[in-house]
Amino acid sequence: NVAGTYTYERDNSLSYAPREPRSWTASAGLTWPLFDGTQTALRTKQAEISLTNARRSFEESRRQVEVSVRNTYTDLKRTEEQVRDFEIQRRAARSNLEAVRLQYQHGLARLIDAFDAESEQRDLELEYLSLLIGYYRQRDALSRQVGADLEDLR
C-alpha cells in the first residue's frame, strides 16, 4: 500500500490582534494498493474456476438424474410386460384347476392332483402379486424422480 498526505497551513492572524488567529488548512490523502492487483486477479481466477466446477457438477448431476429416470422407466415398462405375460399363465392355471376339479368330481383324477393344481394356482397368484408390488414400487420411484404423478403427465 502507498499512502500519502499533504498539508499546507497558513496563519492569517493580524499582528495587532494576536488573540483572534485566522488560519486555514488544506490536506489531501491517497491510498493505493500496489501489491493487491495480483491478489484480485487470482481471486477472480479462483472464482471463475469455482463457477466452472459448479457448472460441471450440475451437468453431471443432471446426467445422472436423466440416466436414473431412463433406467427406472425401462424397468417399469419391462415389469408391465411381465405382468401382461403373466396374466396368460394365471388364466391357464385357473383353467387347469377347474379341469382337475371336474376330473376329481367324476372320479378321473386323484385328490392329490386337485391339491397340486390348487397349490400351483396359489403360487402363481403370489408371484403375480409380487410382480404387481414391484410394478407399483417402480412406478412410485419414477413418480418421485420426475416430481409429479405419472397420471398427470399423460
Side-chain angles (χ1 to χ4, degrees):
N1 284 341
V2 173
T5 304
Y6 175 75
T7 303
Y8 176 75
E9 230 177 273
R10 183 166 182 208
D11 188 2
N12 286 336
S13 55
L14 300 173
S15 59
Y16 56 88
R19 291 189 182 163
E20 296 181 28
R22 288 183 295 153
S23 65
W24 59 272
T25 304
S27 65
L30 174 66
T31 302
W32 183 265
L34 287 178
F35 300 105
D36 192 35
T38 57
Q39 289 180 357
T40 303
L42 291 175
R43 285 185 192 134
T44 303
K45 188 68 172 171
Q46 184 180 14
E48 289 171 353
I49 290 170
S50 294
L51 179 62
T52 301
N53 288 339
R55 285 181 177 151
R56 285 181 184 161
S57 177
F58 173 76
E59 195 59 35
E60 178 65 25
S61 296
R62 188 190 63 75
R63 272 185 259 141
Q64 286 176 352
V65 167
E66 184 179 338
V67 167
S68 178
V69 168
R70 286 178 191 258
N71 288 342
T72 304
Y73 179 77
T74 302
D75 291 344
L76 180 66
K77 288 301 179 183
R78 184 176 25 88
T79 305
E80 271 182 8
E81 188 176 319
Q82 288 175 345
V83 168
R84 275 194 310 271
D85 293 346
F86 206 79
E87 186 62 37
I88 296 168
Q89 291 177 342
R90 287 179 65 214
R91 276 189 257 132
R94 272 190 241 122
S95 297
N96 183 38
L97 177 61
E98 289 302 317
V100 171
R101 281 182 181 166
L102 287 173
Q103 288 174 355
Y104 175 73
Q105 289 173 355
H106 289 42
L108 300 173
R110 301 173 298 169
L111 182 61
I112 190 90
D113 294 334
F115 287 154
D116 286 345
E118 286 177 357
S119 178
E120 182 182 336
Q121 186 193 12
R122 216 177 2 260
D123 290 346
L124 282 173
E125 288 297 324
L126 286 174
E127 194 173 338
Y128 178 74
L129 288 175
S130 177
L131 272 174
L132 281 179
I133 289 169
Y135 169 77
Y136 283 111
R137 281 184 178 164
Q138 289 171 348
R139 187 177 167 158
D140 289 343
L142 183 61
S143 179
R144 277 192 311 273
Q145 289 175 348
V146 171
D149 188 13
L150 297 180
E151 296 298 323
D152 296 340
L153 297 177
R154 290 185 183 190

mmCIF file with all atom_site columns, all heavy atoms in Angstrom, residues 26-37:
data_model
loop_
_atom_site.group_PDB
_atom_site.id
_atom_site.type_symbol
_atom_site.label_atom_id
_atom_site.label_alt_id
_atom_site.label_comp_id
_atom_site.label_asym_id
_atom_site.label_entity_id
_atom_site.label_seq_id
_atom_site.pdbx_PDB_ins_code
_atom_site.Cartn_x
_atom_site.Cartn_y
_atom_site.Cartn_z
_atom_site.occupancy
_atom_site.B_iso_or_equiv
_atom_site.pdbx_formal_charge
_atom_site.auth_seq_id
_atom_site.auth_comp_id
_atom_site.auth_asym_id
_atom_site.auth_atom_id
_atom_site.pdbx_PDB_model_num
ATOM 1  N N   . ALA A 1 26 ? -5.338 22.869 4.402  1.00 0.00 ? 26 ALA A N   1
ATOM 2  C CA  . ALA A 1 26 ? -5.772 22.021 3.295  1.00 0.00 ? 26 ALA A CA  1
ATOM 3  C C   . ALA A 1 26 ? -4.975 20.728 3.364  1.00 0.00 ? 26 ALA A C   1
ATOM 4  O O   . ALA A 1 26 ? -3.773 20.746 3.615  1.00 0.00 ? 26 ALA A O   1
ATOM 5  C CB  . ALA A 1 26 ? -5.540 22.709 1.965  1.00 0.00 ? 26 ALA A CB  1
ATOM 6  N N   . SER A 1 27 ? -5.637 19.624 3.164  1.00 0.00 ? 27 SER A N   1
ATOM 7  C CA  . SER A 1 27 ? -4.902 18.355 3.153  1.00 0.00 ? 27 SER A CA  1
ATOM 8  C C   . SER A 1 27 ? -5.552 17.436 2.126  1.00 0.00 ? 27 SER A C   1
ATOM 9  O O   . SER A 1 27 ? -6.718 17.567 1.790  1.00 0.00 ? 27 SER A O   1
ATOM 10 C CB  . SER A 1 27 ? -4.890 17.713 4.535  1.00 0.00 ? 27 SER A CB  1
ATOM 11 O OG  . SER A 1 27 ? -6.203 17.362 4.920  1.00 0.00 ? 27 SER A OG  1
ATOM 12 N N   . ALA A 1 28 ? -4.786 16.525 1.656  1.00 0.00 ? 28 ALA A N   1
ATOM 13 C CA  . ALA A 1 28 ? -5.259 15.535 0.690  1.00 0.00 ? 28 ALA A CA  1
ATOM 14 C C   . ALA A 1 28 ? -4.667 14.198 1.064  1.00 0.00 ? 28 ALA A C   1
ATOM 15 O O   . ALA A 1 28 ? -3.537 14.118 1.538  1.00 0.00 ? 28 ALA A O   1
ATOM 16 C CB  . ALA A 1 28 ? -4.838 15.923 -0.722 1.00 0.00 ? 28 ALA A CB  1
ATOM 17 N N   . GLY A 1 29 ? -5.409 13.155 0.877  1.00 0.00 ? 29 GLY A N   1
ATOM 18 C CA  . GLY A 1 29 ? -4.929 11.813 1.197  1.00 0.00 ? 29 GLY A CA  1
ATOM 19 C C   . GLY A 1 29 ? -5.161 10.878 0.019  1.00 0.00 ? 29 GLY A C   1
ATOM 20 O O   . GLY A 1 29 ? -6.118 11.029 -0.739 1.00 0.00 ? 29 GLY A O   1
ATOM 21 N N   . LEU A 1 30 ? -4.311 9.900  -0.106 1.00 0.00 ? 30 LEU A N   1
ATOM 22 C CA  . LEU A 1 30 ? -4.409 8.953  -1.203 1.00 0.00 ? 30 LEU A CA  1
ATOM 23 C C   . LEU A 1 30 ? -3.902 7.612  -0.721 1.00 0.00 ? 30 LEU A C   1
ATOM 24 O O   . LEU A 1 30 ? -2.841 7.516  -0.112 1.00 0.00 ? 30 LEU A O   1
ATOM 25 C CB  . LEU A 1 30 ? -3.558 9.431  -2.391 1.00 0.00 ? 30 LEU A CB  1
ATOM 26 C CG  . LEU A 1 30 ? -3.440 8.462  -3.563 1.00 0.00 ? 30 LEU A CG  1
ATOM 27 C CD1 . LEU A 1 30 ? -4.793 8.279  -4.242 1.00 0.00 ? 30 LEU A CD1 1
ATOM 28 C CD2 . LEU A 1 30 ? -2.411 8.987  -4.545 1.00 0.00 ? 30 LEU A CD2 1
ATOM 29 N N   . THR A 1 31 ? -4.669 6.582  -0.967 1.00 0.00 ? 31 THR A N   1
ATOM 30 C CA  . THR A 1 31 ? -4.248 5.217  -0.654 1.00 0.00 ? 31 THR A CA  1
ATOM 31 C C   . THR A 1 31 ? -4.381 4.411  -1.928 1.00 0.00 ? 31 THR A C   1
ATOM 32 O O   . THR A 1 31 ? -5.435 4.399  -2.570 1.00 0.00 ? 31 THR A O   1
ATOM 33 C CB  . THR A 1 31 ? -5.142 4.609  0.441  1.00 0.00 ? 31 THR A CB  1
ATOM 34 O OG1 . THR A 1 31 ? -5.074 5.429  1.595  1.00 0.00 ? 31 THR A OG1 1
ATOM 35 C CG2 . THR A 1 31 ? -4.705 3.216  0.782  1.00 0.00 ? 31 THR A CG2 1
ATOM 36 N N   . TRP A 1 32 ? -3.338 3.722  -2.270 1.00 0.00 ? 32 TRP A N   1
ATOM 37 C CA  . TRP A 1 32 ? -3.335 2.914  -3.500 1.00 0.00 ? 32 TRP A CA  1
ATOM 38 C C   . TRP A 1 32 ? -2.679 1.573  -3.176 1.00 0.00 ? 32 TRP A C   1
ATOM 39 O O   . TRP A 1 32 ? -1.506 1.543  -2.814 1.00 0.00 ? 32 TRP A O   1
ATOM 40 C CB  . TRP A 1 32 ? -2.567 3.643  -4.595 1.00 0.00 ? 32 TRP A CB  1
ATOM 41 C CG  . TRP A 1 32 ? -2.596 2.902  -5.887 1.00 0.00 ? 32 TRP A CG  1
ATOM 42 C CD1 . TRP A 1 32 ? -1.676 2.039  -6.370 1.00 0.00 ? 32 TRP A CD1 1
ATOM 43 C CD2 . TRP A 1 32 ? -3.626 2.940  -6.857 1.00 0.00 ? 32 TRP A CD2 1
ATOM 44 N NE1 . TRP A 1 32 ? -2.054 1.536  -7.566 1.00 0.00 ? 32 TRP A NE1 1
ATOM 45 C CE2 . TRP A 1 32 ? -3.273 2.081  -7.905 1.00 0.00 ? 32 TRP A CE2 1
ATOM 46 C CE3 . TRP A 1 32 ? -4.843 3.618  -6.946 1.00 0.00 ? 32 TRP A CE3 1
ATOM 47 C CZ2 . TRP A 1 32 ? -4.058 1.883  -9.019 1.00 0.00 ? 32 TRP A CZ2 1
ATOM 48 C CZ3 . TRP A 1 32 ? -5.622 3.413  -8.049 1.00 0.00 ? 32 TRP A CZ3 1
ATOM 49 C CH2 . TRP A 1 32 ? -5.234 2.563  -9.078 1.00 0.00 ? 32 TRP A CH2 1
ATOM 50 N N   . PRO A 1 33 ? -3.418 0.505  -3.308 1.00 0.00 ? 33 PRO A N   1
ATOM 51 C CA  . PRO A 1 33 ? -2.801 -0.800 -3.033 1.00 0.00 ? 33 PRO A CA  1
ATOM 52 C C   . PRO A 1 33 ? -1.908 -1.214 -4.203 1.00 0.00 ? 33 PRO A C   1
ATOM 53 O O   . PRO A 1 33 ? -2.382 -1.466 -5.304 1.00 0.00 ? 33 PRO A O   1
ATOM 54 C CB  . PRO A 1 33 ? -3.997 -1.739 -2.890 1.00 0.00 ? 33 PRO A CB  1
ATOM 55 C CG  . PRO A 1 33 ? -5.102 -1.076 -3.634 1.00 0.00 ? 33 PRO A CG  1
ATOM 56 C CD  . PRO A 1 33 ? -4.832 0.394  -3.591 1.00 0.00 ? 33 PRO A CD  1
ATOM 57 N N   . LEU A 1 34 ? -0.619 -1.285 -3.970 1.00 0.00 ? 34 LEU A N   1
ATOM 58 C CA  . LEU A 1 34 ? 0.313  -1.647 -5.031 1.00 0.00 ? 34 LEU A CA  1
ATOM 59 C C   . LEU A 1 34 ? 0.340  -3.155 -5.292 1.00 0.00 ? 34 LEU A C   1
ATOM 60 O O   . LEU A 1 34 ? 0.381  -3.603 -6.423 1.00 0.00 ? 34 LEU A O   1
ATOM 61 C CB  . LEU A 1 34 ? 1.730  -1.192 -4.682 1.00 0.00 ? 34 LEU A CB  1
ATOM 62 C CG  . LEU A 1 34 ? 1.989  0.299  -4.772 1.00 0.00 ? 34 LEU A CG  1
ATOM 63 C CD1 . LEU A 1 34 ? 3.410  0.596  -4.358 1.00 0.00 ? 34 LEU A CD1 1
ATOM 64 C CD2 . LEU A 1 34 ? 1.737  0.794  -6.183 1.00 0.00 ? 34 LEU A CD2 1
ATOM 65 N N   . PHE A 1 35 ? 0.328  -3.933 -4.218 1.00 0.00 ? 35 PHE A N   1
ATOM 66 C CA  . PHE A 1 35 ? 0.521  -5.371 -4.380 1.00 0.00 ? 35 PHE A CA  1
ATOM 67 C C   . PHE A 1 35 ? -0.787 -6.144 -4.342 1.00 0.00 ? 35 PHE A C   1
ATOM 68 O O   . PHE A 1 35 ? -0.777 -7.349 -4.327 1.00 0.00 ? 35 PHE A O   1
ATOM 69 C CB  . PHE A 1 35 ? 1.466  -5.877 -3.292 1.00 0.00 ? 35 PHE A CB  1
ATOM 70 C CG  . PHE A 1 35 ? 2.800  -5.221 -3.357 1.00 0.00 ? 35 PHE A CG  1
ATOM 71 C CD1 . PHE A 1 35 ? 3.161  -4.245 -2.443 1.00 0.00 ? 35 PHE A CD1 1
ATOM 72 C CD2 . PHE A 1 35 ? 3.691  -5.555 -4.370 1.00 0.00 ? 35 PHE A CD2 1
ATOM 73 C CE1 . PHE A 1 35 ? 4.384  -3.626 -2.523 1.00 0.00 ? 35 PHE A CE1 1
ATOM 74 C CE2 . PHE A 1 35 ? 4.915  -4.930 -4.451 1.00 0.00 ? 35 PHE A CE2 1
ATOM 75 C CZ  . PHE A 1 35 ? 5.270  -3.963 -3.528 1.00 0.00 ? 35 PHE A CZ  1
ATOM 76 N N   . ASP A 1 36 ? -1.903 -5.476 -4.330 1.00 0.00 ? 36 ASP A N   1
ATOM 77 C CA  . ASP A 1 36 ? -3.191 -6.144 -4.290 1.00 0.00 ? 36 ASP A CA  1
ATOM 78 C C   . ASP A 1 36 ? -3.665 -6.528 -5.683 1.00 0.00 ? 36 ASP A C   1
ATOM 79 O O   . ASP A 1 36 ? -4.553 -7.355 -5.825 1.00 0.00 ? 36 ASP A O   1
ATOM 80 C CB  . ASP A 1 36 ? -4.229 -5.233 -3.623 1.00 0.00 ? 36 ASP A CB  1
ATOM 81 C CG  . ASP A 1 36 ? -5.488 -5.984 -3.286 1.00 0.00 ? 36 ASP A CG  1
ATOM 82 O OD1 . ASP A 1 36 ? -5.382 -7.175 -2.934 1.00 0.00 ? 36 ASP A OD1 1
ATOM 83 O OD2 . ASP A 1 36 ? -6.573 -5.390 -3.390 1.00 0.00 ? 36 ASP A OD2 1
ATOM 84 N N   . GLY A 1 37 ? -3.079 -5.956 -6.706 1.00 0.00 ? 37 GLY A N   1
ATOM 85 C CA  . GLY A 1 37 ? -3.509 -6.234 -8.078 1.00 0.00 ? 37 GLY A CA  1
ATOM 86 C C   . GLY A 1 37 ? -3.434 -7.703 -8.428 1.00 0.00 ? 37 GLY A C   1
ATOM 87 O O   . GLY A 1 37 ? -4.329 -8.266 -9.045 1.00 0.00 ? 37 GLY A O   1
#
